[in-house]
Amino acid sequence: WWQLYGAANDAGILLIIPEGKVNPGGASYWNATEFCCDFYALKADDVGYITGLIEEAMDHFSVDPARIYLILW
């Protein structure tokens, strides 16, 4: 991840790397849709979480809403 931060900074890109939740089995996961991946029914609202991160970034930085990209890793 640290290499991405350096490359983003050099290119003038705001990079945000959130972490998913950890389930009781110790695995990281994202609960993005009703089909995946809240197997323990913890009801995490990751769409709301990511939306909030984007909104917060837009409140604090000059962000072009047409140039927001999400990448699944």
Side-chain angles (χ1 to χ4, degrees):
W1 298 115
W2 296 112
Q3 292 171 338
L4 285 175
Y5 280 118
N9 188 50
D10 292 346
I13 296 170
L14 174 63
L15 178 66
I16 301 170
I17 303 177
E19 294 183 16
K21 300 279 187 189
V22 176
N23 68 27
S28 295
Y29 76 99
W30 289 97
N31 185 31
T33 72
E34 62 204 52
F35 303 105
C36 186
C37 289
D38 190 15
F39 301 124
Y40 291 88
L42 300 174
K43 308 267 189 251
D45 179 13
D46 287 328
V47 172
Y49 172 61
I50 296 297
T51 300
L53 287 177
I54 292 169
E55 290 171 351
E56 186 174 347
M58 292 177 73
D59 287 345
H60 296 283
F61 301 98
S62 177
V63 176
D64 179 353
R67 297 180 67 193
I68 296 172
Y69 305 95
L70 302 176
I71 299 170
L72 299 174
W73 190 286

